């Protein structure tokens, strides 16, 4: 990635033997640079050159996977420091921890499995379960890993710095590509051996950034997560920023996703710290809470930070039904920004109202933004009313519009010939509005 | 192996704003990205204001009214309570001026503002009712009544900035400049206001933030870009940023929905407060300096987080 033809050319044999099908090594290098050829088409390139080219063409942050199958998570492959430059690619994996000293692990895991939320029509959940070897006992750790694995589909993070305990846990959970957490200065070789044996990713923890860089180089393994050792939020922020900056500058030891631990003893501050890690580059954040009141804000933050800044999420602009609308069902007009649409749809559902919704195509922007930008207009609403044939489905001629755009009502009434009812400003007010105002 | 710490060489800094007559509050002045103490100075901690309304709020959920139960109808008592709760500033919202509510006169509002200002020894933020023409009239009188108190007043928009800026200049206040989530609009308004000779360090940028789950990402990125602009020397982006977090967070369904409506979301109180806290702390990471909040527990939690963030992380 990002290598010029000339940089590649320097690594080629320069014999112009044509075995690659190109007239010269330089021509082949140019083809490589533009992605039209692959390096293995040259039979003469040296191993050293191959290694140099591979690592230079690798992405700044390696993509590392944890788990297997449908719930596998992939982290890394990030290319920027700021989301306004280009979207952040792989949303922070949220891990919830259990301890091998917990009395009822299956019950705790069941709580974690329930952390699934529907937001703007998409399902969002936590991603991993971390098992901590708090007991210090190898057999207990393995037992806990098994209990977790038997009760969840989420990939595991195995937390122990004792290679003997890790070995035991891997005997039960090693085939499912768990994250081994992990290696440090005193157990590096043994942990990396285990990781290699199971071909699983491993966390490398340094006492600071300097030691971390050393250990990564010593490890001789590429499925890595980085832990700078910092645990106070201000220091983690600095280290996360450094690791991302260094990775983008192609400082190779830091070219891996990171793991962070929100283990502030103050339970509210732990959640707040986790929010900082999500905004600031964490590959994985490990939480000690499975309270949905703690997790929902973090999952929402992750969704926001990792959306593509160039494209709002939109729903298709067409006639939607909620429940079983009959001829007397109310017709709600809104925009096709998914957040807007799903607020409205959710509140109509919550009020158990059978209804039609017409989300006008505003290029996926909200009601007020759409109005201010001239994309949510009486003309466009009328067009949609006519094109969807809603008049044939209902026996009345009444449209309900958002309270925020009450100013549209006169013109809309005139253009469409429908009576316009101005609804509440917030969609949450729809159920009581219908109770008081709807009769058709 | 020693890692060479990657430091950006910024050439400029955010302007420093001073508020309050006697007990002063300072914001801004940073020469680094938020809380990256290793590459510049961060002389002032972001500050927290709690809102006071001059009429009993209509659409506040119960859990938000609870901490103010006995003072909701008395702005002076409410303001004092906010100070007890640890607010660095009191943000008085003159909602009664709104034509849909009491349509109170500028004189009535000025009297309330004066009474509140005299009752507390922290600086005041005074916010109008949001109707642009009305706010213009309002601040002629309110600005005068608060002469010399060095308040932060607003919100000035493209439509009413002239009157509000003039009122601020005559009476020694600073101004909140609001523009909808657009870096060029923000800059444009700052230029217009400084062209009236209001010093740049008497303007706070209000980018009209959205809450967590409701557009937070747009403001987050605008604020990051504005901060980078400031550090690279753009004086018309080098103002502290004010975030009206409380009003946005408490509109969110996740904050308003009671325990039994969405049991899978957890207890309302904890969820709602975290909604406000995380909206604020996330903006702090993007460069927000003044946070206007609603719940006292939010003030407490955000303060703990900011105190930690102000500890050095220099290498
Ligand atoms: C995020 C945002 C943006 C984003 C757009 C994101 C998007 N996909 O929509 C960006 C940065 C692109 C943007 C741009 C602009 N924005 Co803008 N933006 C916002 C912001 C912060 C939040 C909007 C949002 O997402 N709200 C959440 C959604 C869910 O709300 P909603 O769609 O209104 O839906 C609610 C209600 O309307 C109601 N509802 C919805 N449908 C229905 C239907 C019925 C029947 C009923 C009863 C109720 C109902 O329920 C919903 C939930 O409560 C608001 C300010 C704010 N804090 O609200 C400004 C705001 C909407 N923007 C504004 C403006 C002016 C603009 C720009 C024109 C600025 C400019 N000159 O560049 C541009 C226009 C964009 C363009 N040219 O395409 C103004 C609009 C002012 C006005 N009243 O006219 C606002 C209000 C800011 C302000 N106070 O000045 N904006
Ligand atoms: S095969 Fe290799 S050595 Fe031969 S011309 Fe192509 S690039 Fe050069």
């Amino acid at each position: 990635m990002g290598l010029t033809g000339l940089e590649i050319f320097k690594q080629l044999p320069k014999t112009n033997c044509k075995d690659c099908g190109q007239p010269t090594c330089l021509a082949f290098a140019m083809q490589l640079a533009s992605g039209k050829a692959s390096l293995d088409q040259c039979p003469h390139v040296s191993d050293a050159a191959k290694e140099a080219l591979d690592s230079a063409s690798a992405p700044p942050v390696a993509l590392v996977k944890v788990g297997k199958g449908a719930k596998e998570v992939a982290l890394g492959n990030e290319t920027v420091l700021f989301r306004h430059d280009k979207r952040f690619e792989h949303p922070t994996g949220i891990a919830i921890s259990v301890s091998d000293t917990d009395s009822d692990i299956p019950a705790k895991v069941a709580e974690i499995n329930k952390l699934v939320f529907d937001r703007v029509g998409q399902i969002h959940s936590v991603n991993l379960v971390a098992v901590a070897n708090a007991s210090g006992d190898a057999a207990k750790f393995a037992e806990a890993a098994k209990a977790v694995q038997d009760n969840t589909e989420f990939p595991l993070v195995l937390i122990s710095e004792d290679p003997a305990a890790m070995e035991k846990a891997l005997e039960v959970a090693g085939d499912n590509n768990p994250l081994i957490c992990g290696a440090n200065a005193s157990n590096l070789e043994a942990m990396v051996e285990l990781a290699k044996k199971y071909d699983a990713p491993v966390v490398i923890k340094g006492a600071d950034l300097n030691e971390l860089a050393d250990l990564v180089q010593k490890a001789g393994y590429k499925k890595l997560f980085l832990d700078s050792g910092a645990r106070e939020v201000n220091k983690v922020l600095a280290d996360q920023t450094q690791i991302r900056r260094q990775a983008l500058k192609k400082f190779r030891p830091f070219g891996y996703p990171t793991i962070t631990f929100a283990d502030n003893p103050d339970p509210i501050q732990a959640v707040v710290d986790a929010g900082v890690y999500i905004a600031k580059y964490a590959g994985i954040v490990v939480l000690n809470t499975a309270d949905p009141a703690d997790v929902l804000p973090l999952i929402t933050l992750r969704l926001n930070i990792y959306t593509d800044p160039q494209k709002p999420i939109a729903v298709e602009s067409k006639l939607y039904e909620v429940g079983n609308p009959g001829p007397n069902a109310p017709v709600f007009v809104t925009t096709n920004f998914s957040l807007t649409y799903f607020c409205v749809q959710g509140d109509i559902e919550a009020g158990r109202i059978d209804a039609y919704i017409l989300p006008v195509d505003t290029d996926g922007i909200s009601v007020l933004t759409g109005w201010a930008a001239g994309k949510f207009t009486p003309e466009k609403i009328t067009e949609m009313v006519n094109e969807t044939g809603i008049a044939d489905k209902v026996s009345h001629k009444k449209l309900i519009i958002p309270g925020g755009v009450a100013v549209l009502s006169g013109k809309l009434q005139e253009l469409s010939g429908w009576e316009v009812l101005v609804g509440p400003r917030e969609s949450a007010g729809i159920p009581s509005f219908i109770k008081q105002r709807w009769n058709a | 192996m020693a890692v060479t710490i990657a430091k950006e060489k910024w050439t400029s800094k955010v302007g420093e704003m001073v508020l309050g007559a006697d007990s002063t509050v300072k914001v801004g002045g940073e020469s680094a990205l938020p809380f990256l103490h290793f590459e510049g100075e961060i002389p002032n901690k972001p500050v927290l204001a709690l809102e006071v309304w001059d009429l009993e709020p209509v659409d506040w959920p119960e859990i938000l009214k609870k901490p103010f139960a006995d003072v909701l109808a008395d702005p002076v008592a409410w303001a004092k309570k906010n100070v007890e709760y640890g607010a660095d500033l009191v943000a008085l919202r003159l909602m009664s001026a709104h034509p849909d509510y009491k349509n109170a006169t500028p004189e009535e509002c000025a009297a309330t503002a004066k009474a509140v200002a005299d009752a507390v020894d922290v600086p005041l933020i005074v916010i109008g009712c949001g109707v642009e023409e009305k706010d213009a009239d309002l601040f002629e009188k309110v600005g005068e009544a608060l002469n010399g108190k060095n308040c932060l007043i607003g919100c000035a928009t493209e439509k009413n900035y002239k009157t509000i800026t003039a009122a601020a200049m005559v009476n020694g206040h600073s101004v909140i400049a609001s523009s909808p989530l657009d870096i060029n609009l923000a800059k444009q308004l700052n230029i217009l206001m400084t062209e009236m000779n209001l010093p740049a360090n008497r303007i706070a940028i209000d980018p009209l933030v959205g809450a967590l789950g409701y557009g937070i990402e747009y403001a987050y990125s605008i604020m990051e870009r504005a901060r980078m602009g400031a550090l690279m020397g753009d004086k018309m982006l080098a103002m502290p940023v004010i975030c009206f977090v409380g009003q946005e967070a408490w509109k969110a369904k996740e904050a308003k929905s009671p325990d039994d409506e969405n049991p899978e979301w957890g207890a309302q109180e904890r969820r709602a407060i975290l909604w406000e806290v995380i909206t604020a702390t996330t903006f702090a990471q993007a460069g927000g300096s003044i946070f206007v909040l609603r719940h006292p527990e939010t003030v407490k939690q955000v303060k703990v987080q900011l105190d930690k963030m102000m500890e050095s992380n220099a290498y």
Side-chain angles (χ1 to χ4, degrees):
Chain A
M1 184 200 264
L3 278 190
T4 66
L6 220 51
E7 282 165 328
I8 298 172
F9 175 67
K10 284 184 196 147
Q11 303 284 343
L12 294 177
K14 304 191 191 77
T15 56
N16 300 338
C17 77
K18 303 190 175 55
D19 287 351
C20 57
Q22 294 297 323
T24 61
C25 292
L26 182 60
F28 180 64
M30 299 312 279
Q31 293 279 308
L32 269 181
S34 61
K36 288 183 192 133
S38 75
L39 192 58
D40 51 15
Q41 289 169 295
C42 167
H44 312 294
V45 64
S46 71
D47 285 349
K50 215 179 253 168
E51 165 98 37
L53 286 174
D54 275 351
S55 94
S57 64
V61 182
L63 187 72
V64 184
K65 294 173 179 170
V66 186
K68 277 194 177 151
K71 303 269 182 204
E72 174 189 273
V73 276
L75 283 322
N77 239 354
E78 301 298 339
T79 55
V80 293
L81 265 172
F82 301 103
R83 60 184 293 286
H84 57 253
D85 288 332
K86 194 174 163 292
R87 71 176 288 177
F88 290 174
E89 294 292 337
H90 290 96
T92 308
I94 297 180
I96 311 285
S97 69
V98 300
S99 161
D100 65 358
T101 54
D102 285 342
S103 55
D104 190 351
I105 289 178
K108 238 192 137 179
V109 175
E111 292 297 306
I112 298 171
N113 289 336
K114 280 197 292 190
L115 295 171
V116 178
F117 306 94
D118 180 341
R119 215 185 148 77
V120 296
Q122 305 163 342
I123 299 298
H124 295 272
S125 72
V126 299
N127 313 89
L128 307 116
V129 182
V131 193
N133 182 206
S135 69
D137 182 285
K140 260 198 133 162
F141 186 46
E143 232 171 81
K146 180 160 187 342
V148 172
Q149 180 168 269
D150 288 348
N151 286 285
T152 188
E153 290 177 10
F154 291 128
L156 266 52
V157 183
L158 300 171
I159 304 181
S160 175
E161 297 190 338
D162 171 9
M166 191 58 77
E167 189 168 9
K168 282 266 179 254
L170 286 168
E171 279 167 19
V172 296
D175 291 340
N176 292 321
N177 200 32
L179 175 56
I180 299 172
C181 181
N184 57 29
S186 59
N187 68 14
L188 184 72
E189 260 175 56
M191 281 293 180
V192 172
E193 267 325 299
L194 285 170
K196 284 182 181 163
K197 179 171 167 198
Y198 288 93
D199 194 25
V202 61
V203 174
I204 305 235
K205 174 176 158 187
D208 56 24
L209 292 176
N210 298 334
E211 190 187 82
L212 179 61
D214 276 339
L215 296 178
V216 170
Q217 279 169 321
K218 265 193 220 147
Y221 189 60
K222 302 235 177 281
K223 292 191 182 176
L224 302 181
F225 277 80
L226 306 178
D227 174 358
S228 71
R231 290 295 180 269
E232 293 168 89
V233 65
N234 56 327
K235 302 229 165 90
V236 178
L237 170 70
D239 286 355
Q240 288 286 312
T241 306
Q242 280 303 321
I243 290 174
R244 176 64 63 87
R245 282 187 185 176
Q246 305 275 357
L248 297 181
K249 292 185 178 188
K250 297 261 177 158
F251 176 67
R252 282 298 162 194
F254 287 173
Y256 300 94
T258 61
I259 186 167
T260 54
F261 297 85
D263 52 10
N264 194 317
D266 175 335
I268 294 276
Q269 289 300 314
V271 179
V272 182
D273 292 355
V276 174
Y277 305 156
I278 287 170
K280 296 292 179 176
Y281 320 128
I284 290 177
V285 59
V286 182
L287 309 177
N288 300 328
T289 169
D291 182 344
D294 294 349
V295 175
L296 181 62
L298 294 175
I299 284 189
T300 308
L301 179 63
R302 175 180 67 179
L303 169 66
N304 290 161
I305 294 287
Y306 279 83
T307 50
D308 188 337
Q310 258 83 47
K311 327 186 189 84
I313 314 173
V315 297
E316 194 190 334
S317 173
K318 59 169 196 193
L319 177 66
Y320 289 84
E321 300 182 354
V322 182
N324 290 309
N328 295 330
V331 179
F332 294 98
V333 176
T334 185
T335 76
N336 79 326
F337 178 35
S338 21
L339 181 60
T340 302
Y341 172 79
F342 285 103
C343 282
V344 175
Q345 190 235 36
D347 288 318
I348 294 176
E349 250 170 28
R352 292 191 186 63
I353 303 164
D354 296 312
Y356 290 103
I357 309 179
L358 292 175
V360 173
D361 184 356
T362 54
D363 295 331
I365 59 177
S366 75
V367 166
L368 289 177
T369 315
W371 175 71
K375 292 176 177 170
F376 189 46
T377 57
E379 289 78 9
K380 287 188 85 166
I381 300 172
T382 304
E383 196 183 307
M384 187 165 188
V385 168
N386 293 338
E387 280 176 6
T388 52
I390 180 71
D392 303 332
K393 305 212 174 214
V394 292
S395 56
H396 60 83
K397 279 193 111 184
K398 291 180 188 169
L399 297 173
I400 304 173
I401 64 167
V405 289
V407 289
L408 298 181
S409 52
K411 185 83 184 288
L412 177 58
Q413 197 143 324
E414 196 179 298
L415 280 178
S416 66
W418 286 54
E419 181 187 343
V420 176
L421 303 182
V422 176
R425 291 192 138 255
E426 312 275 332
S427 54
I430 288 179
S432 68
F433 172 83
I434 289 296
K435 248 181 235 143
Q436 290 161 20
R437 299 272 313 274
W438 185 252
N439 45 50
Chain B
M1 174 187 195
V3 173
T4 316
I5 294 302
K7 294 184 190 170
E8 295 289 343
K9 289 190 187 61
W10 303 114
T11 52
S12 193
K13 57 182 182 178
V14 179
E16 188 171 79
M17 172 181 275
V18 181
L19 295 170
D22 8 77
S23 113
T24 52
V25 158
K26 282 187 191 168
V27 289
E30 305 88 340
S31 56
L33 291 175
F35 311 115
L36 299 186
H37 301 273
F38 61 78
E39 71 182 12
E41 297 296 318
I42 302 172
N44 300 307
K45 192 170 81 168
V47 294
L48 311 178
L50 269 173
E51 274 185 46
V52 169
W53 284 34
D54 68 344
L55 54 76
E56 202 160 325
V58 273
D59 55 353
W60 286 24
E62 278 314 309
I63 53 166
L64 184 51
K65 287 190 192 165
K66 203 170 56 181
F68 309 106
D70 46 343
V71 296
L72 283 171
D74 178 353
V76 168
W78 186 349
K80 286 186 182 158
K81 192 125 200 171
N82 285 351
V83 178
E84 284 168 30
Y85 281 136
D88 303 310
L89 305 111
V90 165
L92 173 64
R93 194 182 279 272
L94 297 169
M95 210 53 172
S96 68
H98 198 293
D100 291 353
Y101 297 108
K102 290 186 184 160
N103 204 11
T105 62
E107 289 75 13
E108 287 167 317
C109 290
T112 311
K114 176 92 172 55
V116 169
D118 289 342
V120 295
D121 57 7
V122 300
L124 220 57
I125 299 175
V126 189
I127 312 151
C129 65
V131 177
E132 285 156 312
E133 311 82 69
K134 182 82 194 235
D135 286 352
D137 295 344
L138 207 58
F139 281 108
E140 290 203 290
K141 293 283 179 268
V142 174
E144 196 184 329
L146 298 175
N147 182 305
K149 300 262 184 195
N150 195 9
C151 304
L152 181 58
I153 65 172
C155 298
T157 68
E158 179 191 46
K159 292 206 188 92
N160 65 12
Y161 75 89
K162 282 190 186 146
T163 343
I164 297 182
T165 304
M169 287 170 62
V170 174
N171 298 297
H173 304 302
S174 295
V175 186
I176 301 167
S178 296
S179 54
L181 281 176
D182 183 300
I183 201 153
N184 295 318
L185 293 178
K187 199 170 154 169
Q188 179 62 24
L189 188 54
N190 292 338
I191 292 172
L192 292 170
M193 285 168 50
T194 46
E195 276 173 356
M196 291 177 66
N197 283 331
L198 180 70
N201 69 350
R202 281 169 56 188
I203 300 175
I205 297 175
D206 164 23
L208 290 164
V209 303
L212 177 61
Y214 297 85
I216 195 173
E217 69 273 30
Y218 295 97
Y220 184 87
S221 286
I222 298 284
M223 284 162 64
E224 282 195 322
R225 286 171 57 198
R227 168 61 64 90
M228 282 165 39
L231 297 180
M232 289 188 287
D234 189 334
K235 295 280 175 243
M236 288 302 114
L237 288 173
M239 290 77 176
V241 174
I242 182 168
C243 304
F244 288 93
V245 166
Q247 76 183 31
E248 297 301 322
W250 289 95
K251 263 200 298 210
K253 196 152 123 188
E254 290 80 354
K256 281 176 142 174
S257 172
D259 290 1
D260 50 3
E261 198 174 281
N262 294 90
E264 71 281 8
W265 285 358
Q268 184 194 4
E269 186 148 357
R270 187 170 177 112
R271 169 180 11 109
I273 288 168
L274 275 169
W275 217 261
E276 191 178 25
V277 172
I278 291 189
T279 302
T281 53
T282 301
F283 284 136
Q285 290 297 334
S289 301
I290 307 171
F291 295 94
V292 181
L293 305 169
R294 287 195 174 167
H295 200 288
E297 183 63 20
T298 307
V299 169
K300 191 175 135 201
Q301 296 295 345
V302 174
K303 203 161 249 183
V304 173
Q305 175 73 195
L306 292 176
D307 282 341
K308 191 73 207 167
M309 280 295 170
M310 289 304 287
E311 287 177 22
S312 176
N313 51 21
Y315 289 96

